[in-house]
Amino acid sequence: NRIYPEHLWEKEVKKYVEERVNRKCAYGELNHPSANAHEIDPDNVCMLMTEATWDGKEVYGKSKILETPKGLIAIAMLEGGGRVSASSRGLGNIGEQVTIEGKKVGKVASLDLICWDAVLFPSNYSCDNLKGITESLISKAYDISEGGVIYERTLSEFEKRLVNNGTKNLKSD
């Protein structure tokens, strides 16, 4: 029941990239915490965001699932054919109330972006349509296409595809 003005997102994503992503400390937890939402608990870290961009309407990012205890849980969910989505976590203040489609919602007046977490059910359902590649040291990779369909491949299959495309660096198509 909140509306986030675009200028707040633009400012916060820029700040997040400068202060967290570029410094390689843009960690996310497995699920949003029920307490202490303003901090990141190292015991619950499962991923590291490696890129984030604002395109004027949406935030796009890439994260690497880490082989921490919580990261291994996320990997197991993917290996089992399940889904893992992304959801932003932030603190802010609600300003004026507006009515949209007959429903009262609060317009966010300030925002402090904390991180993106790996969640089962994101509140913004467009975050459920992940597109990208996650990898693990278990020598498996998951090509997550639009719509959340997961294709398991071995890393050697990815490397073969990439060599055929003229590069040995793992990157998304």
Side-chain angles (χ1 to χ4, degrees), residues 29-131:
E29 296 185 30
L30 183 59
N31 223 350
H32 293 312
S34 56
N36 300 322
H38 63 284
E39 57 187 48
I40 310 236
D41 182 350
D43 290 338
N44 294 326
V45 165
C46 71
M47 65 184 188
L48 174 66
M49 182 172 272
T50 58
E51 292 178 38
T53 56
W54 169 256
D55 79 348
K57 290 275 184 197
E58 296 180 317
V59 179
Y60 293 93
K62 290 184 182 181
S63 292
K64 182 167 103 173
I65 295 177
L66 304 174
E67 292 205 19
T68 62
K70 299 295 183 167
L72 292 174
I73 292 171
I75 290 168
M77 289 190 289
L78 290 169
E79 284 181 342
R83 302 170 81 129
V84 177
S85 300
S87 181
S88 61
R89 179 172 16 136
L91 303 173
N93 294 311
I94 303 292
E96 67 178 298
Q97 295 280 321
V98 295
T99 303
I100 297 179
E101 297 178 4
K103 187 175 185 179
K104 283 215 177 257
V105 295
K107 191 171 181 182
V108 175
S110 68
L111 175 64
D112 183 20
L113 181 60
I114 305 298
C115 67
W116 272 268
D117 291 321
V119 299
L120 302 180
F121 307 104
S123 59
N124 179 349
Y125 292 103
S126 66
C127 295
D128 206 28
N129 294 325
L130 299 178
K131 183 177 182 180

